[in-house]
Every structure is written in C-alpha cells, then in structure tokens.
Amino acid sequence: MTPRIALSPAPLATLTLVMAAVAQAIIAGLTLGLAGRVSPWLDPVSDYAWHRGGQLLFTVAILLLLACAAALAIAARLAALPRDPLVSTLFLLWTAGLTVVLFCRSNFSAANPTLSGEIHRAGGAVLFASLPLAAWTLSARLRTEPRWLTAAPALRRGAIAGTVTAAAFGAAQVLRWLPAGLLERAALLAEFLIVATLALMLRRASRSATATEPSTTSGTAGSAGTELRRAAR
C-alpha cells in the first residue's frame, strides 16, 4: 500500500508573506512617488489609479492581496486550522471587497460621485471591516485549541489594530477634519499585519508538526517491533 504524502502549508505561508510584503511595498512606493499629486494625509489610496503608472501598480497590489487570500485558505486547510463558519464567511467577504475595489473604479472627485465609485467605496468598507473581525473571531476559537493556543494573542492584537484603524477611517468619512488618507493607510498596514500573522502562524504550526513526526514514527515502529517479538515467542 502506497503511503499518503502530507503536503506542508509552509511554502504557501511563506509565499503569502512575500506577496503581502510586495503589495505593501507597492502602496508605500506610490505614497512616496505620487505625494505631490495624491495627498497621503487626505486622499484615498485608490486615487493612485487616476495617475500615470499608478493604475497598473494599484491593480498589481490588489491582485497580490487576492493571491494572498487564496494561498492562506489552502495553507489553513493543509495545516488543519480549526474551522469556523463565521470566520469563513468574513474571510470570503474580505476577498469579495478586494474584488469589488479591483473592478469598480473610484470616484475621480468626491463632489461628482458615480455608481462605480460608490460601489468601490462600499467594497472598501467591507474589506476594512471583515478581515479584523475574522481575525478576532478566529483568535477566540484558537484559544480553545491547545495546538494553536500560543498563536491566539498575536492574532488578537492584529485584530484590535485592524478594528481601531478601520473604525477611525470610517469616522473620517463623517468627521471631515480627520486625516482620512492617513487613517486609510494605517488600516491597510493593520490588514498587512493580520495577513502576516496568519502566515507566520501557519508556518510555525507546520514546523511544529514536522518536528514531532520522527518521534511519532519511531514510537510506532517500536510498538510494531514489540508485537513481532511477542508473536515470534
């Protein structure tokens, strides 16, 4: 009988870290490169798409985040991460929000809203709210699992950071004196931290499982040897 080969989530977790870091670096590069035309203090990140070179880079950053979502979902399954229907739903909402932001262009001017622009804003609200809530719910679930207990606090800290920054960015849509652009970039950074925390958590779990395999295998072999010696007698 051919033994089943267990796939490790570590490569996908590492790939997620790299893609998320590149996406964040793109946004940081746009922030610095287009600071003269798009205010990091007041203007939304999606305004980069209205400038030469900005649309392509903005699209690449969103596509990388969508690829992160797919890689995380597969890695979580391979690592046997505890499942929770609410977490799955919130994670799907996050990917849906990213997709809407990708395909629906933002308003060129807040004074002249368009249907596409308003859908884009709604998608942004969903993606900023759903991932921190998913992380918070998952951290509560992991606190009941001995294998994942040590990972829960870091994930909860990321969820708190994401919730606070997302709420502040939401408040800036009403309180115009708040720096909406800066708060949106802070919320994006918090989302990157959540993604990175999840990826590191899955990679560590994979290494921990690999480290316990030899002792488990030797223990099984020892038991089998004992049974054979008993049978020979």
Side-chain angles (χ1 to χ4, degrees):
M1 184 176 178
T2 305
R4 294 181 63 184
I5 299 175
L7 297 177
S8 170
L12 281 172
T14 302
L15 179 61
T16 298
L17 281 171
V18 172
M19 291 190 297
V22 172
Q24 189 64 32
I26 289 174
I27 298 301
L30 288 170
T31 300
L32 294 174
L34 294 175
R37 286 174 281 179
V38 178
S39 170
W41 187 262
L42 298 174
D43 296 330
V45 170
S46 54
D47 275 11
Y48 296 131
W50 291 103
H51 296 274
R52 186 176 181 180
Q55 182 175 7
L56 175 61
L57 290 173
F58 179 77
T59 300
V60 170
I62 299 300
L63 287 173
L64 284 171
L65 288 175
L66 284 169
C68 285
L72 276 178
I74 298 171
R77 187 174 183 86
L78 292 175
L81 187 72
R83 297 185 185 182
D84 185 283
L86 181 56
V87 173
S88 299
T89 301
L90 289 168
F91 193 76
L92 284 173
L93 285 173
W94 180 61
T95 58
L98 286 169
T99 304
V100 167
V101 166
L102 177 64
F103 287 104
C104 296
R105 209 165 188 188
S106 62
N107 293 316
F108 181 74
S109 170
N112 298 299
T114 63
L115 177 60
S116 174
E118 294 308 295
I119 294 174
H120 178 98
R121 288 186 64 188
V126 169
L127 77 88
F128 281 126
S130 55
L131 186 61
L133 290 175
W136 180 274
T137 307
L138 180 59
S139 70
R141 177 74 172 83
L142 296 183
R143 291 174 69 184
T144 65
E145 300 285 339
R147 181 189 173 197
W148 301 95
L149 186 60
T150 57
L155 189 57
R156 175 155 292 200
R157 287 193 293 270
I160 293 171
T163 302
V164 170
T165 52
F169 176 55
Q173 308 308 305
V174 180
L175 304 174
R176 296 297 179 181
W177 51 270
L178 288 173
L182 182 65
L183 291 171
E184 182 184 21
R185 286 159 181 81
L188 279 172
L189 179 59
E191 298 229 328
F192 164 73
L193 292 176
I194 291 173
V195 171
T197 301
L198 285 168
L200 287 170
M201 178 181 76
L202 293 171
R203 193 167 68 170
R204 287 177 189 139
S206 171
R207 289 177 178 175
S208 175
T210 303
T212 58
E213 267 184 21
S215 59
T216 303
T217 304
S218 61
T220 304
S223 298
T226 302
E227 293 297 326
L228 286 173
R229 285 194 295 272
R230 287 175 181 173
R233 291 174 187 172

